């Protein structure tokens, strides 16, 4: 009976531990995304501006 109780306690504690680890990993991933988002937006804006200037300089690219 003692083995059964110990097994159940360890089983439940394992799920609680895994829940905590997964929650921590998701929180860190979301924080990383928040810190990288401004840089990605700046990169996209720079790429769009470069594309517009390229099309202005080379109108044949846009069938114009």
């Amino acid at each position: 009976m003692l083995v059964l109780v110990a097994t159940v306690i360890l089983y439940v504690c394992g799920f609680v531990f895994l829940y905590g680890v997964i929650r921590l990993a998701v929180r860190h991933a979301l924080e990383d995304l928040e810190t990288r988002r401004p840089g990605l937006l700046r990169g996209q804006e720079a790429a769009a501006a470069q594309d517009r200037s390229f099309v202005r300089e080379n109108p044949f690219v846009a069938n114009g």
Side-chain angles (χ1 to χ4, degrees):
M1 188 68 178
L2 182 63
V3 172
L4 180 65
V5 171
T7 303
V8 169
I9 289 173
L10 289 175
Y11 188 74
V12 170
C13 289
F15 276 120
V16 171
F17 175 75
L18 284 177
Y19 172 75
V21 168
I22 291 170
R23 189 171 178 222
L24 185 66
V26 168
R27 185 184 337 160
H28 282 285
L30 290 176
E31 288 174 358
D32 287 345
L33 285 175
E34 287 297 320
T35 57
R36 292 180 186 175
R37 182 173 289 158
L40 291 175
L41 289 176
R42 267 187 269 120
Q44 288 175 348
E45 291 170 357
Q50 185 178 9
D51 288 347
R52 283 192 298 272
S53 66
F54 181 77
V55 169
R56 267 190 241 117
E57 293 170 2
N58 304 300
F60 61 89
V61 174
N63 291 329

